[in-house]
Amino acid sequence: MNLNSIHNVYFVGIGGIGMSALARYFVANGKAVAGYDKTPTDITSSLEDLGVAVHFEDAIANIPSAFKNTETTLVVFTPAIPKHHAELNYFKSEGFQVLKRSQILGLITENTFCLAVAGTHGKTTTTSILGHLMNVCEVSVTAFLGGISENYNSNLILNGTEVSVVEADEFDRSFLTLSPDLACITSMDADHLDIYGDASELKKSFEDFSKRVKPNGKLFVKNGLPISGITYGIEDNADYSVKNIKIVNGTYVFDVKTPTTVLENLEFNLPGRHNLSNALIALAMAVEYGCPNQQLAKALASYKGVKRRFTYQIKTDDLVFIDDYAHHPEEINAVHQAVREMYPDKKVLAVFQPHLFSRTRDFADEFAASLAQFDELLLLDIYPARELPIEGVTSQWLLDKVYNNNKKLVSKEDLLAEIHKSEAQVILTIGAGDIGEEVKRIKKEFSVAN
């Protein structure tokens, strides 16, 4: 399919983080773009500022007439859209070209030199570091991000179209549409068992992804994973390894051993060993692509992070408030490690909103163990996302498994009052649902109090 012959692109689910990045890309390439989403958000508002027509009621009458031409309109949808969606079914029954987001990414990457980041954790941060490194090194790059980059205040870095940087998403196996030149796998922990059924199927899909790398391409893997490739790791014998780690004023300072040299005194500002690992693999891929070492060092030091990835909302001597997207036990462990490394003597309160009934059920014991590590825990109700409730799977059921005396189930209405009762000097909000809306309220409340 030739994307050049398309004039109009219509998105069903345009407000999603990955979908909106594609929408921005097509706007930048001179296409007419419109779409539907369930609710207005900051993302849909910023698309409307670009001239994109967005509506929030699922009705065929709401589709602009220019987008009802099958010859000139491409329709993109997200798997999160329900089967009975009227607009999506209209496009399918009328013979439009209807593709998943991952298929569109596949088409874009086929015609570019593609760097793809796969793994059950770390994709968004790694992709945004890699996109930033390539951009600062003046590569003609488009980077599609699964989050809002703090450096660019966008989920798209656009500096040309010769090279693409993408997240290779294992959810519903969509990463098998990509054909990368350079790819990495950051982690292969069990997740999305609602799709895969069991962990061995997930592992198999990563093996299938590793075979998608182009014949002359290169695959990088976190040291210890059961797939062969160029290895990377922290203070180990990997091909690319971080050495001599120091923390200076909240910044990591370290060396990187590459297969041919040692890069000394690199700086990186994101807390947590998991982020140091993400920085390392982004650096390794940029080095293998051919970016100059000195420019890379400067770019790495200027990287500011991704919104909702260990994002400081308040940072004073008396109170620290951090927000993070962690929604899997391993990610919660990583956030816990980072916060203890930065604030070893402070009391930490975690506010967690579980995401999906199925994930809560599949990893209940692991969630309980990861959440028990904090000094205090406030647990919100499960965010259903694309699911119906599962009998017996509730936040109270999860809370009962947490071995911690300072724990409580709270409603969103009572959340601020409960935080006020705490003496913690560090507040953490974690989760992938709509907890982001609570973050604004907490920040407002405690910025004033502070």
Side-chain angles (χ1 to χ4, degrees), residues 295-433:
Q295 267 178 293
L296 282 174
K298 188 181 93 181
L300 198 62
S302 67
Y303 176 76
K304 293 180 187 167
V306 178
K307 284 186 173 35
R308 299 222 59 225
R309 304 301 195 283
F310 213 89
T311 301
Y312 284 99
Q313 300 289 339
I314 298 173
K315 194 177 186 181
T316 66
D317 293 341
D318 306 319
L319 181 71
V320 174
F321 171 29
I322 296 161
D323 176 43
D324 195 278
Y325 183 75
H327 55 283
H328 183 284
E330 288 301 323
E331 294 166 354
I332 295 170
N333 288 335
V335 169
H336 177 261
Q337 183 276 323
V339 83
R340 295 294 187 200
E341 188 173 52
M342 289 296 152
Y343 303 103
D345 306 322
K346 294 196 170 179
K347 199 170 176 185
V348 181
L349 162 69
V351 181
F352 179 55
Q353 180 189 46
H355 183 262
L356 295 178
F357 295 102
S358 60
R359 187 185 278 126
T360 306
R361 175 198 63 200
D362 293 340
F363 301 107
D365 294 339
E366 293 87 343
F367 273 122
S370 64
L371 293 167
Q373 300 174 97
F374 298 101
D375 300 305
E376 293 178 48
L377 172 67
L378 295 177
L379 193 62
L380 293 167
D381 279 331
I382 297 169
Y383 183 76
R386 53 186 181 266
E387 293 183 335
L388 293 170
I390 296 172
E391 193 176 338
V393 180
T394 63
S395 283
Q396 183 61 57
W397 172 73
L398 175 61
L399 191 71
D400 291 342
K401 290 175 172 286
V402 178
Y403 290 105
N404 186 321
N405 293 328
N406 299 312
K407 62 179 184 177
K408 191 169 187 182
L409 187 65
V410 294
S411 66
K412 288 177 180 173
E413 293 72 37
D414 298 337
L415 184 56
L416 290 179
E418 288 296 333
I419 296 172
H420 271 295
K421 291 179 189 172
S422 170
E423 292 175 3
Q425 302 107 314
V426 179
I427 303 167
L428 270 179
T429 43
I430 41 185

Side-chain angles (χ1 to χ4, degrees), residues 1 14 73 76 195 260 308 335 363 414 441:
M1 181 192 160
I14 197 166
T73 301
V76 187
I195 303 284
T260 56
R308 299 222 59 225
V335 169
F363 301 107
D414 298 337
R441 291 177 47 219

Side-chain angles (χ1 to χ4, degrees), residues 181-306:
D181 294 272
L182 299 178
C184 73
I185 299 174
T186 63
S187 46
M188 287 165 49
D189 294 304
D191 197 5
H192 304 301
L193 298 185
D194 53 327
I195 303 284
Y196 283 97
D198 83 54
S200 65
E201 281 297 305
L202 181 74
K203 177 175 178 281
K204 184 181 173 303
S205 79
F206 276 105
E207 287 166 357
D208 292 341
F209 171 72
S210 72
K211 294 172 189 149
R212 299 284 310 166
V213 178
K214 286 176 188 160
N216 299 331
K218 291 176 181 171
L219 177 69
F220 299 78
V221 292
K222 178 83 175 279
N223 204 9
L225 291 181
I227 288 181
S228 60
I230 300 168
T231 56
Y232 72 97
I234 292 183
E235 294 181 325
D236 61 7
N237 60 352
D239 299 318
Y240 281 83
S241 181
V242 168
K243 307 283 187 190
N244 307 324
I245 303 167
K246 300 185 284 289
I247 296 177
V248 182
N249 299 328
T251 294
Y252 282 121
V253 180
F254 55 97
D255 302 337
V256 169
K257 176 189 79 69
T258 80
T260 56
T261 184
V262 176
L263 308 177
E264 294 184 333
N265 292 322
L266 296 172
E267 291 181 21
F268 187 65
N269 291 304
L270 257 60
R273 292 293 174 106
H274 61 300
N275 282 321
L276 201 50
S277 180
N278 295 336
L280 173 63
I281 181 51
L283 188 75
M285 290 174 82
V287 166
E288 293 281 345
Y289 177 78
C291 293
N293 293 351
Q294 271 171 310
Q295 267 178 293
L296 282 174
K298 188 181 93 181
L300 198 62
S302 67
Y303 176 76
K304 293 180 187 167
V306 178

Side-chain angles (χ1 to χ4, degrees), residues 66-117:
F67 292 81
K68 289 182 173 174
N69 180 338
T70 54
E71 298 297 309
T72 56
T73 301
L74 169 65
V75 180
V76 187
F77 75 103
T78 164
I81 293 290
K83 298 274 183 282
H84 54 75
H85 197 273
E87 292 182 27
L88 185 56
N89 286 323
Y90 160 79
F91 286 121
K92 285 181 173 174
S93 64
E94 292 297 316
F96 281 79
Q97 184 82 312
V98 180
L99 296 177
K100 274 192 209 170
R101 179 180 76 93
S102 56
Q103 292 171 298
I104 300 289
L105 268 184
L107 284 171
I108 292 168
T109 59
E110 265 172 37
N111 301 306
T112 57
F113 187 96
C114 173
L115 293 86
V117 177

